[in-house]
Amino acid sequence: MNPLPSHRLAIAGQIVAEAAELALWHFSRRAGLQLNSKRSQDFVSEADMAVERLIRDRLQQHFPADNVVGEELGGELGQAASWVIDPIDGTANFLRGSPLWGVSLGLLEGQKPVMGVVALPVLNELLAAETGQGVFSQGRPFARDSRFAEVKMVSLGDSADDRLTDAAAFYQGLRRAEWSVECYRCTTVGMVFAAKGLVDGHLQRRTTLWDIAGGLVICAEAGLEVTHAFRDGNIRYMSVAAGTASLMEAVRPLWPDLRPC
């Protein structure tokens, strides 16, 4: 197996791989999980908490000076290095037994994403990337599959905070432009599938930093055009678009305030 390009990325990969194993263990026993609802259709289980604690513990062991922000246990971005954790992205899918959920870990320097590692445990996928170093799949260099570009497919994320009329208009615009639209109910899955070439990109007008921090660098290093934006500096109110040139060309008229990073 070829080594990852830096010690830091190698350690992050090991942490996510260990977290994925713990998440899978909980997935196989999910019938007995304790569950809480943060709001409508937004759930947290004891599995989310256990996986985030594991990742935090390992980050503390290896990178004690770095900041940590997690979906379940909070935190704030620092001026230097900040690790951003989504322990189980797609908790609703996880609880229902769908394989479409993931574990995500990203590294930001200030507000700039520089590293990402994501796992889709049921699908046995683990992608890692570092700015300027390309994408690695299971530790080996990986190139995005760009065949059949004429088959136009896009992953579309949603949020409980979406204005439904705006979301419907955006969906209709994509369909009128002859794009087939998938909705996986998991941002990590959408971004991984975009990076692999299973879809042409992932679009989400309302998301959070922990949903996208792991996938941003992976999509960029896979050769996609990537843009993300903090709304009023709020990590809970962000947007993301990662796609091929042809997809982004089609999207810009539908999303007028979309700007490059």
Side-chain angles (χ1 to χ4, degrees):
M1 180 178 293
N2 294 321
L4 292 167
S6 73
H7 175 71
R8 190 163 61 169
L9 186 59
I11 293 298
Q14 293 170 12
I15 291 171
V16 171
E18 184 180 359
E21 289 185 6
L22 177 60
L24 267 179
W25 184 86
H26 282 286
F27 183 69
S28 68
R29 295 160 176 80
R30 64 190 179 280
L33 287 175
Q34 295 182 4
L35 177 67
N36 293 300
S37 178
K38 293 184 280 189
R39 56 179 180 165
S40 176
Q41 294 299 309
D42 189 2
F43 303 100
V44 58
S45 73
E46 60 185 296
D48 298 76
M49 303 296 290
V51 173
E52 182 165 329
R53 289 192 183 100
L54 171 67
I55 296 174
R56 284 176 175 268
D57 287 347
R58 299 298 182 264
L59 290 172
Q60 176 64 28
Q61 292 171 16
H62 293 284
F63 310 109
D66 291 351
N67 215 45
V68 179
V69 179
E71 178 176 11
E72 309 306 342
L73 299 175
E76 300 291 337
L77 292 180
Q79 295 300 312
S82 296
W83 295 95
V84 182
I85 306 165
D86 195 334
I88 298 177
D89 185 24
T91 299
N93 290 351
F94 176 98
L95 293 169
R96 292 297 296 265
S98 165
L100 299 181
W101 55 273
V103 179
S104 174
L105 179 64
L107 178 65
L108 277 67
E109 292 181 351
Q111 292 190 358
K112 180 181 179 182
V114 296
M115 184 179 295
V117 183
V118 296
L120 308 183
V122 180
L123 303 181
N124 194 32
E125 294 277 7
L126 193 150
L127 296 185
E130 188 170 0
T131 299
Q133 301 297 326
V135 181
F136 295 80
S137 175
Q138 310 292 2
R140 296 182 173 85
F142 172 82
R144 183 177 186 275
D145 188 344
S146 59
R147 293 173 294 178
F148 302 110
E150 66 275 17
V151 182
K152 302 194 301 182
M153 299 178 65
V154 60
S155 166
L156 184 62
D158 62 0
S159 166
D161 296 315
D162 284 335
R163 293 187 180 91
L164 294 182
T165 53
D166 293 345
F170 191 60
Y171 172 84
Q172 289 171 353
L174 290 169
R175 292 298 307 274
R176 289 191 188 103
E178 299 183 342
W179 289 87
S180 296
V181 178
E182 304 283 352
C183 184
Y184 301 115
R185 294 290 297 145
C186 176
T187 306
T188 298
V189 167
M191 297 186 81
V192 167
F193 282 10
K196 286 175 63 67
L198 304 183
V199 293
D200 294 277
H202 178 78
L203 309 172
Q204 196 156 347
R205 293 161 62 89
R206 181 72 184 260
T207 185
T208 62
L209 181 59
W210 43 81
D211 282 342
I212 64 176
L216 286 169
V217 178
I218 291 171
C219 285
E221 290 296 304
L224 299 175
E225 294 184 29
V226 177
T227 181
H228 70 280
F230 291 81
R231 305 293 184 179
D232 302 320
N234 187 348
I235 65 174
R236 296 176 178 271
Y237 186 11
M238 299 189 67
S239 61
V240 66
T244 61
S246 60
L247 173 61
M248 298 298 271
E249 182 180 1
V251 166
R252 287 187 183 97
L254 307 174
W255 194 343
D257 58 348
L258 184 66
R259 298 288 185 271
C261 295

